Amino acid sequence: MTQIIIDKRFCGPPNSGNGGYVCGRLARHIPGAAEITLRAPPPLDTPLDAVATDDGTWELRDGDKIVATGQPASVELKRLETASFEEACAAELLTPVKPHEHPLPTCFVCGPARAKGDGLRIFAGSLRGHNAVLAASWTPDQNLAADDGLVAPEFLWSALDCPTGFACNCDLQSGGFDKAPLLLGRMSARIEARPRPGERCIITAWPIGRDGRKRAAEAALHDEAGRLLAVARATWIAVQREVQLGRPS
């Protein structure tokens, strides 16, 4: 058993951890690709126990409450979308959620209220003007480096998280964007290589389907030379706005 504390810097909603970051922290205990399921809002600044179970899975626990579970997984995408760094920067100008409309402005990954070097400031927008694929640029800050000098794995999970949420609000049938409040339910990721801080990266994300309140999307992270760094698949859940904010009625 090891202990994990989600610092308040890494929030998604104001009072809980960013889903991708939390998934990436638990995934550090799982060799290779992993699938993490979030069972409850991850509390901030609270000692959480990462526990290996008898069946080879991992649990993240807040006392007796299970916050997340994780297991090895095979992560193969249905397709792979790419973009140049310049195209990704242009897509950001077409983000369907403008800063003054952002539902979670302090989110570590996509919050426009976060300063450079503090949040990731990843603003996915329509690639080439079509909502079927979103893209964003990302240049990791030096403070995201692990001990080996490369960007820590949990920040690659983070970077792939919110773009899939934005993609889940893209309707494949109409091509529209509906801005429904969402929370991450499950995320799977496979890391091929980790960039160094300061290296320019491109994120692409696209919706793959809906089933009731569940919405699914995939994403990829490439470096500027086109090398695949990581891929992810995510399931998001449509919720009431108060639930998204951590204030269930």
Side-chain angles (χ1 to χ4, degrees), residues 7 38 50 59 100 110-111 145 160 162 188 202 207-208 212 232 249:
D7 187 273
L38 295 172
E59 293 180 348
H100 67 282
C110 66
L160 292 167
C162 293
S188 306
I202 300 101
I208 58 174
S249 56

Side-chain angles (χ1 to χ4, degrees), residues 9-217:
R9 176 190 174 193
F10 305 120
C11 69
N15 299 313
S16 60
N18 171 266
Y21 175 82
V22 175
C23 289
R25 287 291 301 271
L26 185 57
R28 273 185 169 241
H29 298 280
I30 302 169
E35 176 185 272
I36 310 297
T37 301
L38 295 172
R39 307 287 184 183
L44 301 171
D45 293 335
T46 302
L48 305 174
D49 296 320
V51 182
T53 65
D54 292 338
D55 63 1
T57 63
W58 281 81
E59 293 180 348
L60 188 61
R61 300 176 183 171
D62 178 14
D64 294 332
K65 177 189 288 188
I66 297 177
V67 174
T69 58
Q71 61 187 9
S74 175
V75 186
E76 301 297 333
L77 303 190
K78 295 179 181 294
R79 67 183 197 268
L80 191 62
E81 299 287 350
T82 61
S84 69
F85 190 82
E86 290 72 23
E87 286 176 323
C89 291
E92 292 169 351
L93 301 177
L94 301 176
T95 179
V97 180
K98 304 307 178 186
H100 67 282
E101 302 172 330
H102 199 288
L104 300 172
T106 61
C107 173
F108 170 64
V109 176
C110 66
R114 302 295 291 265
K116 282 188 176 182
D118 177 29
L120 301 189
R121 295 181 57 83
I122 294 173
F123 309 127
S126 302
L127 180 62
R128 306 179 191 103
H130 301 290
N131 281 339
V133 183
L134 304 182
S137 67
W138 180 43
T139 304
D141 191 86
Q142 185 62 47
N143 65 31
L144 304 180
D147 291 342
D148 61 3
L150 303 177
V151 175
E154 56 265 33
F155 297 121
L156 303 191
W157 282 74
S158 303
L160 292 167
D161 168 30
C162 293
T164 62
F166 277 53
C168 280
N169 274 346
C170 296
D171 190 323
L172 284 169
Q173 301 299 320
S174 68
F177 187 86
D178 62 19
K179 299 184 182 180
L182 302 175
L183 285 176
L184 182 66
R186 176 174 293 156
M187 186 174 182
S188 306
R190 184 183 81 242
I191 296 175
E192 298 285 338
R194 289 156 48 216
R196 293 187 177 278
E199 293 183 353
R200 303 203 301 185
C201 299
I202 300 101
I203 300 159
T204 50
W206 53 96
I208 58 174
R210 298 184 179 188
D211 181 11
R213 294 196 301 126
K214 295 181 179 180
R215 304 182 179 194

